[in-house]
Amino acid sequence: MPDGAMPVLDVKGLKTVFRTRGGEVHAVNSVSFHLERGELLGVVGESGSGKSVTMMSLIGLLPSPPAEIREGQVLLGTTDLLKISDADLRDIRGARVGFVFQDPMTSLNPVFNIGFQIMEPLRRHMGLDKPQARARAIELLELVGIPDAANRLNNYPHQFSGGMRQRVMIAIALACDPDVLIADEPTTALDVTIQAQILELVKDLRQKLGMAIIWITHDLGVIAAIADRVMVMYGGQIVEQAPVKDLFANPQHPYTRALLKTIPSISGKREARLQVIEGQPPIISAAPSACSFRARCGHAFQLCQAENPLRRAVGGGAVDQGHDVACHWTPEGKDV
Amino acid sequence: MFDQPVNNLVEVSDLKMYFPIYTGIFRRHTGDVKAVDGVSFNIREGETLGLVGESGCGKSTVGRALLRLYEPTAGSVMISGENIATLDSEALRKKRPTMQMVFQDPQASLNPRMTLADIISEPLIEHTDWPVERRLERVLELMDAVGLNRRFANRFPHEFSGGQRQRIGIARALALNPKFIVCDEPIAALDVSIQAQVVNLLEDLQTRLGLTYLFISHDLSMVRHIADRVAVMYLGRIAELSPRDELFAKPLHPYAEALLSAVNEPDPNRARRERIILQGDVPSPANPPKGCNFCTRCPKAFARCHQEKPELVEVEPGRQVACFLYEDKKPAVSIGRPEAKTEHNQQGETL
Ligand SMILES: Nc1ncnc2c1ncn2[C@@H]1O[C@H](COP(=O)(O)OP(=O)(O)OP(=O)(O)O)[C@@H](O)[C@H]1O
Ligand SMILES: Nc1ncnc2c1ncn2[C@@H]1O[C@H](COP(=O)(O)OP(=O)(O)OP(=O)(O)O)[C@@H](O)[C@H]1O
Ligand SMILES: [Mg+2]
Ligand SMILES: [Mg+2]
């Protein structure tokens, strides 16, 4: 089969619900997307919109209870990750799917030194012996820009700065050359120069190894710099999906349009006050029957209350291929 | 600037924070990580000082040492005229409500067994004698202020998303109406709209209550928005301290210049400015270079830079730079002293 003919990852109709004391939280609602070899898919969206929960659902990282994956398929190649055993899933995590967590302090173990935590997956999944794993660990830390790496292996996580911990997480996720890297806000603690170095590294890995990457971030500058496609989430759903240039040039969903307006610029005029999207994000306690953005939307009309909009292609074509949006309203060339 | 007196809320002088390194089976003390190595700056009352710089350069350590969450190795930190670095524990406890910190790692700083309402009311219980109702009212008010839905009050930290947890930390820091807040990457985990909401809130509080902030961030466009002046750190030392507009228009220190050139424009359809890619070894704070800390990567370094450490000096009105390129610019005031003793004199500082 030629490259790109079959996605490395294909997610269909994913639904994740939390059962809490206060009732159900429908964190992910019928989310579908795919990822091709060597592709970088950017994911943006409001805080609490379900980005992390979606990605953690894919590879069984949510504790159940309270999480429950109600529906969906997660195809990694031909394997449905929602159907395989915990042991098989553990092997896939770390070896074929690398994951960088949003909060490095919770995913690095405070009682083991950094060296152990990088070498462990190398020995387990790649069958390296101790000196080989050590050499590779040093190489990985250097790749992510940690100075004096050999001497740093004996340090514990609390002895690293916030950004260094994040880079250790990236090194661990990359250790076994995974097919898919899922990076959840991986560069929030990095300064722009080190971030640029990491972004270069990622570009390189895509070219050399064909690694496919999902990159969750709030930083639209990073999205603009590295993403091929972008997915916008709101209220547990994908509300817009498009090639990166189209998204910035021709945003369709009122949430996306508002989001793009809120970024302060590094070069333009300095605003006295920053733009915000008024109103509160929804708490979704049942499968949505209306548009979840309607209460904050300047364009909402009756239909938005009556029906949850489905994703439709913008300017022809199929959903999840070109540009699509889940909205009843159309901007029709109006200015952003 | 000379005729008009400025009130400094915070005066930091030659602050050093070293972490000892122990090696071998006998755990011998063989060196130090010089996380902060002689830093001096002031923060005026009601001002926001931005603190930016490479990951690992010592920003969080400065913030923590300022509030005495670490015991500084040397130097003094005067806040409202009291030396925080030497206060005894009771005096420090009394002082705590006036100075707060928003931590970089939200997860690690929240007790997993406490509900959101308990977490935010904890400082109120510790430092006020308010009745329960009044505390609860304050908690809900703070939740509104940071955009957390009131229905979340009884949830535990793990039930929140990353950005929601970050806001819990901000609400807690604001609970006691402090005068000075160290914000360590307070908005890194937030989406842009909520970032804007939090930054607007911080600015409103500043206008209404005259709060003073040290704002640590990697987000240079946000720093440009919120800060009055900006300090750029590199490997434990301040490379440049300048007013915001001057810095962003024309950074003087070569590191500041490289840093600003690397910012990503949030639009792929717009051209970016020429990026300066830094070459050379990234030194470790356990073993800083002999000369200027930046000399191993500086595109403009010359012989002297490899021999001596440049001091932070004023090279233009209000702009301080630690770089030999600006030597001829007649330093008006000398601030950082490289090998200063433990004596600190505040006189002669006009900033
Ligand atoms: N264990 C849990 N119990 C109940 N609700 C939860 C739990 N974990 C997450 N949620 C909720 O699910 C929703 C989605 O959370 P998620 O972490 O995916 O958001 P996110 O898009 O990653 O946000 P952020 O950008 O802030 O990280 C949030 O409203 C959150 O409060
Ligand atoms: N408790 C500690 N023990 C040993 N070294 C430490 C400790 N805390 C910090 N360091 C070291 O001090 C240096 C500065 O760390 P700091 O956390 O201040 O950096 P930072 O500028 O905040 O970085 P970031 O932007 O990545 O958060 C780093 O090299 C770090 O490894
Ligand atoms: Mg998240
Ligand atoms: Mg830090």
Side-chain angles (χ1 to χ4, degrees):
Chain A
M1 195 170 289
D3 257 6
M6 204 179 101
V8 256
L9 186 70
D10 201 358
V11 177
K12 292 177 184 158
L14 186 72
K15 249 186 202 183
T16 306
V17 174
F18 291 101
R19 293 163 168 280
T20 68
R21 296 172 313 280
E24 290 187 345
V25 175
H26 287 240
V28 179
N29 283 300
S30 303
V31 160
S32 303
F33 64 94
H34 74 282
L35 184 68
E36 269 158 48
R37 220 177 108 80
E39 183 183 42
L40 196 145
L41 175 65
V43 183
V44 300
E46 175 135 302
S47 172
S49 62
K51 304 179 295 296
S52 301
V53 172
T54 299
M55 299 311 156
M56 287 167 68
S57 305
L58 302 186
I59 47 172
L61 284 171
L62 291 172
S64 173
E68 188 184 308
I69 298 180
R70 289 258 165 97
E71 280 171 34
Q73 255 189 338
V74 177
L75 297 172
L76 179 71
T78 51
T79 320
D80 187 345
L81 299 187
L82 299 182
K83 295 233 163 70
I84 61 177
S85 71
D86 286 352
D88 289 346
L89 205 52
R90 257 198 307 277
D91 279 341
I92 283 177
R93 279 200 302 262
R96 289 182 61 199
V97 180
F99 203 103
V100 182
F101 289 89
Q102 189 166 4
D103 213 324
M105 217 32 190
T106 42
S107 37
L108 289 174
N109 192 327
V111 304
F112 293 113
N113 66 32
I114 296 293
F116 175 84
Q117 299 191 52
I118 307 180
M119 284 155 65
E120 205 264 345
L122 289 168
R123 300 186 64 184
R124 192 161 115 177
H125 299 297
M126 310 277 275
L128 302 188
D129 64 23
K130 206 168 170 190
Q132 286 171 327
R134 192 183 141 82
R136 173 81 176 138
I138 294 173
E139 184 190 6
L140 283 162
L141 285 182
E142 280 168 355
L143 273 178
V144 295
I146 304 262
D148 199 16
N151 286 320
R152 283 290 189 155
L153 289 179
N154 299 325
N155 281 174
Y156 291 84
H158 78 269
Q159 296 175 310
F160 275 46
S161 79
M164 290 159 74
R165 288 197 285 261
Q166 240 177 9
R167 283 177 278 163
V168 169
M169 286 297 306
I170 296 173
I172 294 174
L174 293 176
C176 304
D177 296 333
D179 301 331
V180 177
L181 171 70
I182 302 177
D184 193 352
E185 302 272 5
T187 58
T188 47
L190 303 184
D191 64 276
V192 282
T193 54
I194 290 181
Q195 180 173 298
Q197 184 182 343
I198 299 279
L199 300 184
E200 282 305 314
L201 171 68
V202 162
K203 268 188 199 157
D204 215 46
L205 291 169
R206 290 164 61 194
Q207 264 154 22
K208 286 207 194 107
L209 307 174
M211 191 181 287
I213 299 167
I214 298 176
W215 198 277
I216 303 179
T217 180
H218 291 302
D219 187 336
L220 294 161
V222 169
I223 291 286
I226 60 165
D228 299 310
R229 274 192 305 133
V230 190
M231 198 159 96
V232 183
M233 288 193 72
Y234 187 87
Q237 290 173 284
I238 296 174
V239 294
E240 187 158 2
Q241 182 279 134
V244 66
K245 289 200 169 152
D246 294 351
L247 190 89
F248 281 90
N250 187 21
Q252 297 286 310
H253 198 281
Y255 172 70
T256 316
R257 293 156 69 91
L259 186 69
L260 293 178
K261 270 201 229 165
T262 52
I263 326 164
S265 159
I266 190 77
S267 46
K269 196 173 135 282
R270 191 179 154 269
E271 308 279 340
R273 204 174 164 79
L274 297 170
Q275 294 247 10
V276 302
I277 304 173
E278 293 299 336
Q280 284 216 343
I283 297 182
I284 300 183
S285 48
S289 61
C291 172
S292 48
F293 190 59
R294 69 183 188 286
R296 304 169 75 185
C297 181
H299 304 289
F301 56 109
Q302 289 112 323
L303 190 55
C304 308
Q305 168 70 48
E307 221 176 83
N308 183 29
L310 296 176
R311 285 164 75 183
R312 58 175 169 81
V314 175
V319 164
D320 208 27
Q321 296 300 327
H323 189 166
D324 62 70
V325 63
C327 180
H328 294 305
W329 173 81
T330 47
E332 240 118 55
K334 287 189 198 72
D335 57 333
V336 183
Chain B
M1 214 165 276
F2 284 85
D3 39 351
Q4 156 196 345
V6 238
N7 266 342
N8 288 330
L9 183 77
V10 181
E11 297 182 340
V12 180
S13 156
D14 204 32
L15 182 69
K16 292 185 182 168
M17 185 68 221
Y18 294 176
F19 297 102
I21 304 170
Y22 300 101
T23 43
I25 31 173
F26 299 114
R27 316 298 295 151
R28 274 193 313 126
H29 180 193
T30 50
D32 294 298
V33 175
K34 298 179 177 170
V36 177
D37 197 13
V39 157
S40 305
F41 61 88
N42 299 328
I43 312 177
R44 299 163 190 163
E45 214 168 302
E47 170 183 63
T48 301
L49 179 71
L51 183 58
V52 303
E54 190 156 61
S55 165
C57 72
K59 302 178 298 295
S60 298
T61 308
V62 166
R64 285 168 168 267
L66 242 55
L67 301 188
R68 202 72 181 263
L69 300 171
Y70 286 144
E71 293 297 329
T73 310
S76 73
V77 177
M78 308 291 291
I79 300 187
S80 319
E82 275 180 294
N83 190 352
I84 299 297
T86 57
L87 280 186
D88 64 48
S89 61
E90 184 50 28
L92 194 60
R93 203 189 79 85
K94 289 231 179 66
K95 189 103 180 164
R96 283 258 171 253
T98 64
M99 37 182 223
Q100 290 289 319
M101 180 147 181
V102 178
F103 291 93
Q104 182 170 14
D105 255 313
Q107 177 77 336
S109 62
L110 302 176
N111 183 337
R113 275 176 291 276
M114 287 167 73
T115 64
L116 186 157
D118 292 339
I119 291 173
I120 304 179
S121 35
E122 199 182 28
L124 297 170
I125 296 172
E126 168 84 16
H127 293 283
T128 71
D129 47 15
W130 294 0
V132 182
E133 310 78 58
R134 173 128 184 245
R135 286 203 304 260
L136 186 63
E137 194 184 318
R138 177 77 181 139
V139 167
L140 294 176
E141 195 181 289
L142 288 161
M143 288 176 65
D144 292 346
V146 297
L148 284 169
N149 198 306
R150 288 185 170 210
R151 280 167 56 194
F152 292 160
N154 292 318
R155 281 205 193 173
F156 291 93
H158 73 270
E159 296 176 295
F160 289 97
S161 77
Q164 290 164 339
R165 278 199 289 264
Q166 181 79 69
R167 281 176 276 165
I168 304 175
I170 296 172
R172 183 175 58 180
L174 294 174
L176 292 165
N177 284 324
K179 284 203 66 60
F180 174 53
I181 307 181
V182 173
C183 305
D184 193 358
E185 298 281 359
I187 52 168
L190 308 180
D191 66 79
V192 268
S193 171
I194 292 170
Q195 279 186 3
Q197 189 181 331
V198 169
V199 166
N200 288 344
L201 169 72
L202 291 175
E203 288 182 326
D204 288 348
L205 290 170
Q206 188 163 51
T207 326
R208 269 200 299 130
L209 308 169
L211 295 195
T212 305
Y213 302 121
L214 178 67
F215 192 88
I216 303 174
S217 178
H218 288 303
D219 185 338
L220 295 171
S221 52
M222 206 50 101
V223 168
R224 174 172 179 248
H225 177 83
I226 197 173
D228 299 301
R229 293 186 303 146
V230 182
V232 182
M233 268 184 88
Y234 185 82
L235 204 71
R237 296 170 68 89
I238 294 182
E240 173 164 357
L241 201 165
S242 288
R244 166 196 70 220
D245 291 340
E246 280 90 328
L247 179 77
F248 281 91
K250 186 173 174 290
L252 295 178
H253 194 284
Y255 174 67
E257 204 183 346
L259 185 70
L260 290 184
S261 79
V263 178
N264 291 304
E265 274 291 347
D267 188 343
N269 306 306
R270 210 189 302 164
R272 52 169 313 127
R273 57 173 128 176
E274 189 75 40
R275 174 181 286 177
I276 303 169
I277 306 226
L278 292 176
Q279 310 284 341
D281 288 341
V282 183
S284 145
N287 186 18
K290 175 163 180 245
C292 171
N293 277 359
F294 189 50
C295 73
T296 57
R297 297 163 81 197
C298 182
K300 298 179 177 167
F302 48 98
R304 186 171 175 199
C305 306
H306 297 276
Q307 299 302 324
E308 288 172 55
K309 280 209 196 306
E311 292 182 30
L312 188 66
V313 293
E314 185 164 43
V315 300
E316 280 174 28
R319 300 195 70 171
Q320 302 169 327
V321 181
C323 179
F324 292 125
L325 284 175
Y326 301 93
E327 266 286 281
D328 51 337
K329 296 261 168 73
K330 265 273 151 78
V333 185
S334 161
I335 302 266
R337 275 149 292 133
E339 271 353 293
K341 313 277 166 311
T342 33
E343 297 300 313
H344 319 288
N345 79 70
Q346 239 67 17
Q347 54 182 336
E349 302 205 352
T350 53
L351 279 172

